[in-house]
Amino acid sequence: MSRYAEVITKIKDQGLLCAALTQMGFHEVESHVQAQTLFGYHGDARNERAEVIIRRQYIGSASNDIGFVRDKATGVFKAIISDFDRSSKHYNNEWLGKLNQAYVEQDQMAIAKERGLAFIGREVQSNGAVTLLFALDEPEADELAAKTNLWSTL
Amino acid sequence: MPKERKLIEVTVDRTGATSIDLRGFHGQGCSRVMAWMTANADEITHAHDKPEAFEEPLEVEMTERRTEVL
């Protein structure tokens, strides 16, 4: 072992957010360039708009749409969840934490793929944490050295 | 002699907080790879090098010694 870090990542990538929602079981996720109107459980248009939307029919019969709207200043997505759905214990802060976990997992997988790391495996710990293991194998290391001079400074 | 395999272990807890552990890396390679894995992170709450990070790979040391002899 040679280096260790702990980091916090906020949800900023729309594609990865959609992938994280899919990983959590939502296979009908809308992704829009321009924010779209959210609807309530009566089918009434709400004031809120969002770029990423899970429509209420995929959430529950008495639910409202769940949306994720990008903060223009920070680029960070914020969840729009009705009080009813938030208090239903399905879409509370714990659920948002798991969404963040899935997002980070997708983010790390994307980075690993982009950098040519070999994916070794995924393990869910007893406390719910997910461990991903990657390897920088010698063929990949040699290739990367040629491309990026990664090892030239060693 | 086989080279030590370079491994990256990423653990994400149920809130999304992440720990990244590099194994088998040496020298500046540690920083480069850690920079890759934290490229999208918003905040690094804790980081430290392990002793191996300051050691040069054995093969490099042997090559340098041979060069000195020649």
Side-chain angles (χ1 to χ4, degrees):
Chain A
M1 298 182 186
S2 44
R3 193 173 175 89
Y4 179 85
E6 294 174 1
V7 301
I8 302 294
T9 305
K10 295 176 181 172
I11 296 178
K12 289 180 289 191
D13 186 295
Q14 189 163 333
L16 293 178
L17 169 58
C18 292
L21 289 167
T22 300
Q23 180 180 328
M24 292 180 71
F26 296 97
H27 298 286
E28 302 290 340
V29 179
E30 294 181 15
S31 180
H32 303 280
V33 176
Q34 298 292 332
Q36 303 294 311
T37 299
L38 299 179
F39 293 92
Y41 72 100
H42 281 310
D44 50 308
R46 299 172 60 181
N47 293 329
E48 295 98 339
R49 298 166 70 85
E51 285 92 348
V52 175
I53 301 170
I54 307 170
R55 294 298 180 188
R56 63 191 186 286
Q57 58 264 39
Y58 304 111
I59 301 170
S61 59
S63 294
N64 304 276
D65 290 350
I66 289 178
F68 297 88
V69 60
R70 185 191 295 276
D71 183 302
K72 297 288 187 294
T74 64
V76 175
F77 279 92
K78 184 183 78 172
I80 301 173
I81 304 175
S82 69
D83 290 339
F84 173 82
D85 291 316
R86 197 177 279 270
S87 62
S88 70
K89 296 184 180 177
H90 290 296
Y91 305 104
N92 52 15
N93 285 340
E94 185 179 348
W95 182 81
L96 286 171
K98 289 180 182 174
L99 174 61
N100 215 44
Q101 180 185 38
Y103 175 87
V104 172
E105 198 177 328
Q106 292 289 334
D107 179 47
Q108 291 293 311
M109 292 295 288
I111 289 172
K113 184 177 181 182
E114 179 185 333
R115 296 295 184 177
L117 302 178
F119 176 59
I120 303 300
R122 174 185 189 271
E123 186 178 14
V124 180
Q125 311 292 334
S126 58
N127 62 2
V130 172
T131 297
L132 305 172
L133 187 62
F134 305 100
L136 185 63
D137 290 324
E138 293 312 323
E140 283 84 355
D142 293 341
E143 191 177 337
L144 282 167
K147 287 181 181 175
T148 66
N149 291 326
L150 174 64
W151 310 117
S152 64
T153 54
L154 291 176
Chain B
M1 180 180 169
K3 290 182 180 178
E4 185 180 7
R5 199 173 196 195
K6 299 173 177 68
L7 295 174
I8 301 143
E9 183 179 288
V10 179
T11 299
V12 191
D13 75 11
R14 296 181 75 163
T15 69
T18 310
S19 62
I20 301 169
D21 202 349
L22 303 187
R23 304 176 192 168
F25 290 84
H26 299 270
Q28 293 185 24
C30 296
S31 301
R32 298 282 184 94
V33 174
M34 188 59 83
W36 291 355
M37 305 309 290
T38 58
N40 297 335
D42 294 274
E43 183 183 355
I44 297 177
T45 57
H46 175 79
H48 68 263
D49 285 321
K50 298 168 185 175
E52 301 93 305
F54 304 104
E55 297 170 359
E56 293 298 322
L58 183 60
E59 287 189 341
V60 173
E61 291 179 0
M62 293 175 69
T63 303
E64 287 174 352
R65 284 174 192 157
R66 279 202 298 270
T67 303
E68 286 172 5
V69 171
L70 290 172

